[in-house]
Amino acid sequence: MTTTSPNQAPAGEKVVATWNNRIRLRFEIRGSGPALVYLHPAGGLFWDEFLARLAQHYTVYAPVFPGISPDDTFAIHQLDDIFDVVLAYEQALRSLGLENVPVVGQSFGGMLAAELSACFPKLFSKVALLDPAGLWNEEHPWSLDFISGPPEQLPALLFKDPTSEGPRSMFPPPSGPEEALDQAVTGIWGFGCMAKFLWPIPDRGLSKRLHRVTAPTLIMWGEDDRLIPVAYAEEFGRLIPHSRVELVPDCGHIPQVEHTDHTYATVTQFLAAH
Amino acid sequence: MKVTYIHHYPYRHLPEDFASRYDESVVTNPYFELVDPKLVHEDLRSALDEAMYAARAGFDAVALTEHGQSSYDMNPNPDLGAAALAYATELEGIETGIYTVGRSLGKSREPLRVAEEQAWLDCLSGGRLISGFPVGLAYDANVNAGVPPIETRARYDENFELILRAWTAREPFPFNGRFSQYPSVNIWPRPMQSPHPPVSVTGTGNPNTTRFSLQRDLGFNLVVLGVAAPNTAQRIFDDMWRMADELDVDDNPYRAAYAQSVVVAETDADAERLYAKHVEYSMSRGVGHIPMHRFALPGGISPQGLRVLLGQAMSAPTGGQTAPTYRELVESGAVIAGSPATVRERLADQAHSFRIGHLLANLQIGSMPTELTRHNIDLFSSEVLPHLRGIWSEYDGDNRWWPERLGGRPVSTKQADLTGARLK
């Protein structure tokens, strides 16, 4: 899905061979200005209003997770665990010269940004995590119902108010049966690919590694996140040394869509600060 | 034709308003709220009693399935019940097969344990084991056992290879798999049957599974549910035999088995009077009360497969959400019910139209009490079974999917070949 922004920057893409040529990682690239890496959530890459605005000031590099691109669905079978993903991404980012640049990651993408920063502390200059996955404890259990449950329940899991404008724009009605089928196949398979690194309990030991993150880190979280409890905002804040936590009131799992202005202002101020 | 008695281990006493109070008969249905432990004991005991009753009545085999965290089949590991039945049939000298239709390999995290248990069963039963290795339903493999859906089939392939090797290797060997590693595999005992017990795989319609069974010369068990089951099964078996032709594989009907619910009474009207409520229990409180998303999880089916399945679903008229009635099920043939004459005729027709040499007759359904189950077994074994035996007799000398001790032939080299086709 592509949002229509008045100042839509020109779009481009680069395909990078990584993981000993077993993965061809496709980066969608938009905007102009200093480089910024965006890591998308399990639902896939959507150029929403938040990203469109970021692209007015940054060149946004957004890698599309292996397996999700309809022309290379089997790429996912080249990656067995989260460390394969981290190493494949790190090599691809470096080969594009993307080092010491800021990263923004949402949900699964937030977990990946945190893993990359923990393993390669100098890779990113600043880290913005929006409702990231990766931590799980019994006090605040959360499930993968967004992947395994009935699809019609998805909007209510993702948003405080699924009927508001931003959330509705994420689920546009398909133009016809063919597009509906394309959307369903891509969406279901995409969830299946990401689930490989979350299933069955979304904890791959990130809590043991977060102390290694040295970049200044912003943790934003929707206070009413029904997917990953907001309690994990404090936990990320506690575990990452140079971090601050910003909660977004009246907001679910995707602040960049449900409260775009607030999220955009907070993230860009954080990125601009010295 | 070989006729196997197959059954679930259902909890038979769920309340009438179960469907309205609980979303499903698996995974989330609350145990302590719903059960009386004495009745669980009674139900497990009855299930084994009924299987023994069927074995004595002359069925060619007794079969067990595997479903974890479910009230319609309290059978987390079929090898447990199979052990009891193997011993009891030995004691009584009953020449019947022990058929573990379900020992899911997409689900198993301990494949070597599967190889050991099954080899042990084969030895205890004196070579009467028929091994069934299904992939596993999504809710069972991925939710109950926690296997990432995208890894289910890869895990199956690796586990399958390890088990065949563990059964047949002459020397100890190390195994360096992606999902399991063992420094020295040398199980005791090895199976009694040589090279190993006949192996079958169960499918629900995925053509990859059907193809795999043909390429490896495995038995193929088909299980489909709901009112449309007979039409779906006909299509799948038609595809199977067409595929066999394309692969240049013989069309021996003993390749194929079909699980069919059957209820027999003195008359058709008696059948409805006796069995309708128990069949409907199974639909509204048992296997019929599982939401669609428990059978398919993202990652479990490839994008190519998804496109086919979703395309079919989107173009099909949307069905009702309420459980089908006894009459609807009997009318469509999903349940074969009635007098012995009615049942005989329908089963014989089906054996020919599907081209199946193995019938898995499911005679205990839902809440059926044990006395009624025995009545069903009595009528089936005396009035129906003898009339089915002669079907496909021209192939009796080449049933490679049945233990030698019970009249079968040893499995082919294609089945035992460790480098053979993969499920994928």
Side-chain angles (χ1 to χ4, degrees), chain B residues 24-299:
Chain B
E24 52 191 357
S25 62
V26 295
V27 183
T28 60
N29 46 350
Y31 185 80
F32 289 105
E33 201 171 306
L34 284 166
V35 307
D36 174 347
K38 287 197 193 78
L39 295 175
V40 174
H41 163 73
E42 189 183 300
D43 286 345
L44 293 184
R45 178 67 207 267
S46 296
L48 287 168
D49 287 348
E50 291 153 13
M52 281 305 295
Y53 194 78
R56 292 183 200 113
F59 280 81
D60 296 301
V62 287
L64 304 97
T65 53
E66 173 185 70
H67 299 101
Q69 309 204 113
S70 106
S71 53
Y72 75 89
D73 190 14
M74 298 183 290
N75 201 354
N77 180 350
D79 294 351
L80 298 171
L85 294 173
Y87 180 60
T89 48
E90 277 297 301
L91 275 185
E92 296 190 22
I94 303 171
E95 288 291 302
T96 193
I98 307 294
Y99 194 165
T100 52
V101 169
R103 189 65 167 95
S104 155
L105 297 190
K107 171 183 174 180
S108 178
R109 291 175 177 279
E110 285 189 286
L112 206 54
R113 175 67 55 87
V114 177
E116 290 171 327
E117 288 175 359
Q118 294 261 311
W120 191 92
L121 285 171
D122 196 43
C123 292
L124 177 65
S125 66
R128 291 184 285 124
L129 183 72
I130 303 123
S131 295
F133 295 136
V135 178
L137 294 173
Y139 83 80
D140 207 11
N142 308 130
V143 181
N144 294 347
V147 170
I150 207 165
E151 288 180 357
T152 312
R153 294 173 90 84
R155 193 178 280 271
Y156 182 99
D157 277 329
E158 183 177 305
N159 290 347
F160 187 82
E161 183 196 323
L162 171 63
I163 290 167
L164 290 190
R165 247 180 113 179
W167 278 351
T168 56
R170 314 303 291 185
E171 304 291 331
F173 65 91
F175 186 77
N176 181 15
R178 200 179 124 206
F179 304 108
S180 61
Q181 295 180 315
Y182 301 96
S184 180
V185 177
N186 181 30
I187 63 169
W188 280 66
R190 305 284 217 280
M192 187 166 172
Q193 295 179 72
S194 178
H196 59 71
V199 174
S200 64
V201 59
T202 297
T204 56
N206 187 331
N208 286 344
T209 309
T210 315
R211 185 176 302 108
F212 171 67
S213 81
L214 293 167
Q215 289 171 330
R216 288 300 288 258
D217 212 33
L218 306 173
F220 177 72
N221 312 303
L222 182 66
V223 178
V224 282
L225 297 171
V227 173
N231 288 334
T232 310
Q234 187 67 60
R235 179 174 54 72
I236 293 167
F237 281 124
D238 286 349
D239 286 347
M240 173 177 174
W241 297 119
R242 195 175 312 122
M243 215 184 271
D245 188 44
E246 285 163 15
L247 293 167
D248 204 19
V249 163
D250 72 48
D251 60 355
N252 188 328
Y254 283 115
R255 291 183 179 285
Y258 183 61
Q260 174 66 58
S261 293
V262 184
V263 288
V264 199
E266 301 296 341
T267 66
D268 292 1
D270 274 354
E272 178 162 5
R273 183 176 57 77
L274 288 172
Y275 300 112
K277 68 176 177 183
H278 303 299
V279 169
E280 289 178 357
Y281 176 104
S282 160
M283 287 295 113
S284 64
R285 286 173 255 179
V287 70
H289 193 54
I290 305 175
M292 258 324 290
H293 69 268
R294 293 298 190 194
F295 292 113
L297 286 168

Side-chain angles (χ1 to χ4, degrees), chain B residues 224-232 283 322-335:
Chain B
V224 282
L225 297 171
V227 173
N231 288 334
T232 310
M283 287 295 113
T322 51
T325 62
Y326 172 83
R327 285 195 177 180
E328 288 168 332
L329 292 162
V330 172
E331 211 161 283
S332 81
V335 172

Side-chain angles (χ1 to χ4, degrees), chain A residues 49-247:
Chain A
E49 181 65 23
F50 169 79
L51 292 179
R53 286 198 217 169
L54 272 184
Q56 290 171 19
H57 304 282
Y58 294 92
T59 306
V60 178
Y61 289 79
V64 178
F65 199 77
I68 287 190
S69 291
D71 59 342
D72 192 16
T73 53
F74 289 106
I76 188 63
H77 299 309
Q78 300 299 327
L79 299 167
D80 289 342
D81 58 38
I82 191 67
F83 291 105
D84 288 0
V85 178
V86 165
L87 294 174
Y89 266 63
E90 187 264 353
Q91 190 190 346
L93 291 167
R94 278 199 209 283
S95 72
L96 285 176
L98 296 171
E99 291 177 66
N100 198 30
V101 297
V103 65
V104 178
Q106 213 273 310
S107 195
F108 179 89
M111 168 177 135
L112 186 49
E115 288 282 12
L116 280 160
S117 308
C119 292
F120 300 99
K122 290 179 180 164
L123 185 61
F124 297 126
S125 57
K126 285 191 175 174
V127 179
L129 307 176
L130 310 176
D131 298 59
L135 298 184
W136 196 99
N137 59 55
E138 277 196 36
E139 284 75 25
H140 303 285
W142 58 284
S143 78
L144 298 174
D145 283 353
F146 72 105
I147 290 171
S148 59
E152 60 273 17
Q153 287 176 10
L154 191 56
L157 272 173
L158 292 181
F159 299 107
K160 169 80 190 290
D161 178 9
T163 62
S164 62
E165 195 193 332
R168 274 191 293 119
S169 74
M170 269 198 83
F171 301 99
S175 63
E178 261 179 51
E179 193 180 272
L181 183 59
D182 284 346
Q183 276 179 9
V185 170
T186 306
I188 292 170
W189 182 247
F191 270 159
C193 292
M194 309 296 236
K196 190 171 185 178
F197 310 97
L198 297 170
W199 201 276
I201 300 285
D203 178 358
R204 292 295 180 273
L206 178 61
S207 64
K208 291 182 293 187
R209 297 183 284 273
L210 284 177
H211 70 278
R212 291 171 46 90
V213 177
T214 51
T217 301
L218 168 70
I219 298 140
M220 283 192 85
W221 218 291
E223 273 189 342
D224 307 295
D225 189 334
R226 277 189 281 259
L227 206 158
I228 310 180
V230 67
Y232 290 104
E234 292 305 326
E235 188 65 2
F236 268 96
R238 191 176 68 79
L239 293 167
I240 299 177
H242 308 285
S243 64
R244 76 179 169 90
V245 172
E246 179 91 16
L247 302 185

